[in-house]
Amino acid sequence: MTVAAGLIVPSNRSAHAGASGASRRSFPMLQGGLSGTITVGYADELGAKPKYVEQAKATVEEANPDATVEIDLRQVAGGDYTTQLLLALDSGEGPDVIHIGGDRIGALADAGYIEPLDAYVAEWADWESQYPAPVKGGVTYGDSVWAIPYGLDTRFLYFRRDIFEQVGLGRDWEPANVAGILEAATAVKEAGLEDVLPYALYAGTAGEGGTTAHGFAPVLFAYGGAMQDEAGKWIGASPAIDKALAYYEEAWQTSELVPAEILTTAQPWKPMREGMGSGRVALLFEGGWVYGGYQTAAAAGDIELDDIGYLLFPTEDGGPSLTIGGPGTVWYINAASQNKDLAWEFIKAFNTPEITAALNLEDPHPVARTDAAALPEFQENAYLVAATESLESAVFLPNDARLNDVGTVVQSVTGAIAAGDATAAEASADFLEAMRRELGEENVATVTA
Amino acid sequence: MTAVPVAPHDAPGPPRPNRSTAWRRNRAYVAGLSPTAVLLALFFVAPAGWAVYASFTNRALLGMAAREPRFVGLENYRKLFSDPDLATVLLNSLAFVVGSAMIGQFLLGLALALLLDHAENRRYRLTPLVYAAVLLAWVNPSVIAGFQWVAMFDFYYGSLNEVLNRFGFASVNWLGDYPMLSVIIVNVWRGTAFAMLIFLGALRTIPSQVYEAARIDGAGAARRFWDHTLPNLRHIAVLVLLSVTMSTFGTFILIQTLTNGGPGIQTETIALYAYHQAFRDYDIAYGSTIAVVMLAINFAFAGFYLRVSRPKV
């Protein structure tokens, strides 16, 4: 696991330097004289990105009058788009510029779908000066850089201050340790508030990728566990895995803190997130980006933003102190592209401090560029500053091609607990067996106390 | 129904045509069937053959196996038959097929066809409305039908719970507590029209004189149904059963939209499992292996039904 320490929170000095630097460079340093046509493919269900993509397209076409940038926008959920895209890439097709989650870098690189960007970033001064080492590390696989990030992922333990105040936990609640989350959820449940779900904890296939990143991983890390050992083997059994699954059993079965109906809705993350916004859900560990929806709803007068608290995840022995980080959605160049130079020009044109700051203000993520994080409007946003600072405590999921397979196992065992089909002990045994089956026995390690 | 007379084995048959005469006689049939044969080869035989091939490799959509797939022999089949989820998935498939195809669509389709046939004979005015209601469910695309029922079943905002609440009952977690029953109900609702239409068509081929004669003989409605309607529908019934069984066995979009196989794997059928392995977990080879096993099961179904329906001479 990688802990991103000392990440991109600029000092005042660098903030000024970054801000002035950004204003000096209104246009990216683009190469001119390129020709041909490229396609930029991306999915955007929320609609935040298109104007910035169009802006980058205009910049590239202005600098290269003989070039055309075609945009292939799909207004679908990311998961649906990924499958379509992978099928296209597998056929040697797909857009020249690809835009999907950075958690798949290893698997995409191994498949030969994406182009290493080492030669490009070597000639791009911003890469050296504006992207901190942990950000670079998040998009490096093997010895190569494969993607350019713009908004990083962080996550928070959201809680409803109004509900917590009502049940006597106080508006400024902080758990003393990871068990404190379950204690708080129990207090909410015992208060018997009408239409309030104590806790929403991702589990099963219905939670998709969130089951690992928002559900299992933070609990595992909270108990001192890891997903891989130092030799790079995946851990199939450990005391931390046992404890994490026992946590699931307590939440889903023993104390029934997570109502079963939370996972039986279509796209369960929607009611979970909406529930936190509306006060129906009291506790939820979720992506930092959902706060953008709460900000928008608050601006429209629909909710009180002050009622939504956010904290880092606690550990077994201490209070809020960790989160799950990630490179976010990133830009890649298709290895089969016939016009990689032009594709790179588009990526550069998109990843300016202005665009990345504006986009991450609108769709709140810690911004990847130091100079963008230093812009005054970014610094004035308390949530974004906190989100950026949270990355100092972030654990990044392994940038490994088999992460997808591990996610499948995590979904299977947590889903079995959530459905009441397995106890924690049975799930632990199933976890080891399934990891060995999926990854091969030689790739799975067991850790004893 | 009258049995077709069959010549005894030792009876001399008609003179055998020579090859060119046979070709001349059959070329119109061959020409007529060729487009169908080509389409079947293109869209059924070739993909099925590819799936068989892929099941012997480690082909994937991500990772090294996507770049350099290799032959792995029977490894995927070994993995499948030692897969701890396989038994549950097969039992789920059996429950889904028996519940929604054999009991639901088949029997309900037959009942609706009998009722509509009767209603048409009596010229009831509301008959077209019933027709339309049943057919509308059928012409609905699966995804839309699925989302419509998600909106009905949803615990928080669903219409069914809204109705229950209005009458003072507590909300029911339909998709959580009764997941298989819920998906069966939706599949029956959506698919019954097909069986109904086929049965309705078959009912109209039964000569009315058969019933008139039975009536004169004093046979009541039940007697007429058992002695005349059912025997006349036998071959069609087998075809309907074969058709709804095989299509239900391969159904997954409706389940995917409603429960996506959950909670846990309580509604994960074999078709959905194949889809999930291939396109959610990107393991094309394993998904293909499951598809090949599905194909074998479908052939077994078909063989069984056709054997049962063969006229006994």
Side-chain angles (χ1 to χ4, degrees):
Chain A
M1 68 186 176
T2 313
V3 176
L7 190 69
I8 61 174
V9 183
S11 65
N12 286 338
R13 199 175 119 247
S14 64
H16 286 297
S20 58
S23 62
R24 273 201 309 272
R25 194 174 52 249
S26 302
F27 294 99
M29 304 290 281
L30 288 188
Q31 185 183 337
L34 295 172
S35 60
T37 301
I38 58 163
T39 305
V40 175
Y42 72 110
D44 186 0
E45 218 178 359
L46 300 174
K49 289 175 196 132
K51 56 181 174 290
Y52 303 112
V53 172
E54 291 293 339
Q55 198 177 324
K57 164 187 157 78
T59 307
V60 172
E61 289 178 341
E62 193 180 331
N64 299 278
D66 294 331
T68 305
V69 177
E70 291 179 349
I71 307 295
D72 180 14
L73 166 62
R74 306 289 175 94
Q75 287 177 305
V76 294
D80 301 335
Y81 176 70
T82 302
T83 304
Q84 292 172 20
L85 179 68
L86 292 179
L87 287 167
L89 294 173
D90 188 52
S91 312
E93 305 200 348
D96 299 272
V97 181
I98 301 164
H99 178 263
I100 54 173
D103 54 341
R104 299 192 193 279
I105 285 176
L108 290 166
D110 277 359
Y113 296 153
I114 52 175
E115 183 73 9
L117 304 180
D118 303 310
Y120 292 112
V121 296
E123 292 184 5
W124 187 35
D126 289 15
W127 185 248
E128 193 53 42
S129 62
Q130 304 300 340
Y131 290 84
V135 175
K136 291 176 181 164
V139 290
T140 300
Y141 177 66
D143 293 326
S144 290
V145 173
W146 297 90
I148 303 298
Y150 55 91
L152 308 173
D153 282 347
T154 188
R155 292 165 178 86
F156 283 115
L157 178 64
Y158 294 102
F159 67 101
R160 288 291 306 196
R161 292 183 192 279
D162 49 346
I163 295 173
F164 275 48
E165 186 176 31
Q166 218 176 329
V167 303
L169 294 166
R171 286 183 72 83
D172 297 322
W173 170 81
E174 277 196 10
N177 49 39
V178 67
I181 297 175
L182 299 178
E183 287 163 13
T186 304
V188 173
K189 185 182 177 189
E190 286 175 351
L193 304 176
E194 197 179 345
D195 268 350
V196 172
L197 310 181
Y199 186 19
L201 173 63
Y202 276 83
T205 53
E208 298 189 357
T211 295
T212 302
H214 308 322
F216 181 74
V219 184
L220 177 72
F221 298 148
Y223 283 114
M227 298 187 85
Q228 286 179 306
D229 67 8
E230 289 185 356
K233 283 190 174 185
W234 293 92
I235 298 174
S238 70
I241 290 173
D242 295 343
K243 288 177 183 175
L245 293 173
Y247 179 97
Y248 264 81
E249 187 182 42
E250 175 72 25
W252 277 95
Q253 292 182 16
T254 316
S255 299
E256 295 183 345
L257 301 171
V258 189
E261 59 267 22
I262 202 83
L263 269 190
T264 49
T265 53
Q267 300 183 316
W269 50 90
K270 286 188 175 174
M272 287 184 188
R273 294 169 182 175
E274 284 167 12
M276 175 52 62
S278 65
R280 186 192 282 270
V281 172
L283 264 166
L284 169 69
F285 187 73
E286 246 296 356
W289 54 91
V290 304
Y291 199 78
Y294 303 147
Q295 286 176 323
T296 306
D302 296 335
I303 64 168
E304 281 292 330
L305 201 56
D306 284 348
D307 283 337
I308 301 173
Y310 51 88
L311 294 167
L312 294 177
F313 205 78
T315 63
E316 186 174 16
D317 306 315
S321 45
L322 73 87
T323 190
I324 306 298
T329 311
V330 296
W331 294 105
Y332 306 90
I333 294 179
N334 185 344
S337 169
Q338 297 299 308
N339 206 338
K340 295 187 179 80
D341 290 348
L342 193 57
W344 172 248
E345 291 306 303
F346 173 84
I347 291 175
K348 267 199 310 186
F350 184 90
N351 287 286
T352 61
E354 294 83 3
I355 287 182
T356 52
L359 175 54
N360 286 302
L361 279 164
E362 198 172 335
D363 179 15
H365 290 74
V367 68
R369 294 182 61 116
T370 312
D371 51 3
L375 290 171
E377 54 270 43
F378 213 85
Q379 287 290 300
E380 285 160 12
N381 185 315
Y383 175 78
L384 282 170
V385 170
T388 305
E389 283 175 351
S390 75
L391 288 173
E392 292 182 54
S393 312
V395 182
F396 281 58
L397 298 181
N399 208 355
D400 189 290
R402 306 304 299 271
L403 182 62
N404 196 59
D405 299 328
V406 175
T408 304
V409 176
V410 169
Q411 289 171 17
S412 170
V413 296
T414 56
I417 293 177
D421 293 341
T423 63
E426 289 165 344
S428 284
D430 291 347
F431 187 84
L432 177 60
E433 191 188 328
M435 289 283 278
R436 284 176 169 161
R437 194 173 60 245
E438 288 293 328
L439 308 174
E441 201 156 344
E442 68 282 8
N443 297 317
V444 177
T446 58
V447 175
T448 49
Chain B
M1 190 176 144
T2 50
V4 178
V6 177
H9 287 298
D10 53 353
R16 231 182 134 155
N18 64 34
R19 233 176 233 183
S20 63
T21 314
W23 166 244
R24 268 201 304 278
R25 189 183 293 169
N26 294 329
R27 66 186 167 190
Y29 299 118
V30 173
L33 287 174
S34 292
T36 309
V38 168
L39 289 175
L40 273 175
L42 210 58
F43 295 110
F44 178 74
V45 179
W50 191 88
V52 172
Y53 157 75
S55 72
F56 293 109
T57 69
N58 67 343
R59 196 135 184 21
L61 273 182
L62 275 175
M64 287 305 289
R67 187 198 293 245
E68 292 163 2
R70 59 189 170 78
F71 182 76
V72 296
L74 292 170
E75 188 51 41
N76 288 313
Y77 290 92
R78 269 190 221 109
K79 182 181 167 188
L80 179 62
F81 293 118
S82 60
D83 188 335
D85 291 338
L86 182 65
T88 308
V89 165
L90 286 174
L91 281 175
N92 289 342
S93 304
L94 185 68
F96 184 61
V97 169
V98 170
S100 67
M102 296 180 181
I103 296 175
Q105 293 180 13
F106 179 80
L107 290 184
L108 191 61
L110 177 61
L112 279 171
L114 289 167
L115 285 173
L116 279 174
D117 187 52
H118 180 73
E120 279 198 345
N121 290 339
R122 298 288 174 95
R123 299 185 194 283
Y124 291 153
R125 281 188 192 165
L126 293 178
T127 310
L129 274 181
V130 178
Y131 246 131
V134 179
L135 287 177
L136 270 178
W138 191 42
V139 297
N140 235 352
S142 297
V143 174
I144 293 174
F147 281 123
Q148 282 173 334
W149 279 88
V150 164
M152 303 258 277
F153 282 138
D154 188 273
F155 182 81
Y156 301 109
Y157 312 109
S159 323
L160 287 177
N161 281 343
E162 183 71 29
V163 172
L164 285 178
N165 296 160
R166 287 204 180 177
F167 286 99
F169 295 103
S171 293
V172 174
N173 183 12
W174 299 101
L175 296 175
D177 295 339
Y178 311 103
M180 184 53 81
L181 181 64
S182 301
V183 295
I184 286 174
I185 288 171
V186 178
N187 199 42
V188 170
W189 170 80
R190 186 168 179 278
T192 298
F194 171 76
M196 182 198 79
L197 283 177
I198 304 291
F199 279 128
L200 209 48
L203 283 171
R204 286 173 190 167
T205 63
I206 303 174
S208 57
Q209 296 90 323
V210 171
Y211 293 114
E212 282 160 22
R215 264 196 211 95
I216 291 166
D217 289 344
R223 186 90 252 156
R224 292 198 300 276
F225 176 73
W226 284 112
D227 288 354
H228 300 290
T229 309
L230 269 189
N232 276 294
L233 290 180
R234 181 178 160 202
H235 294 294
I236 286 293
V238 169
L239 283 177
V240 170
L241 203 51
L242 176 64
S243 182
V244 296
T245 302
M246 289 169 81
S247 68
T248 303
F249 194 61
T251 292
F252 74 92
I253 294 175
L254 208 56
I255 306 177
Q256 188 192 20
T257 322
L258 284 161
T259 61
N260 204 15
I265 54 167
Q266 290 177 26
T267 52
E268 186 92 7
T269 58
I270 192 163
L272 189 60
Y273 197 48
Y275 174 81
H276 278 154
Q277 294 298 326
F279 299 114
R280 186 191 63 198
D281 301 338
Y282 308 124
D283 190 343
I284 297 290
Y286 196 47
S288 299
T289 307
I290 299 166
V292 170
V293 170
M294 275 183 66
L295 190 64
I297 294 173
N298 266 330
F299 275 133
F301 269 135
F304 174 74
Y305 282 143
L306 293 175
R307 192 182 172 86
V308 167
S309 71
R310 191 176 297 160
K312 291 188 173 61
V313 183

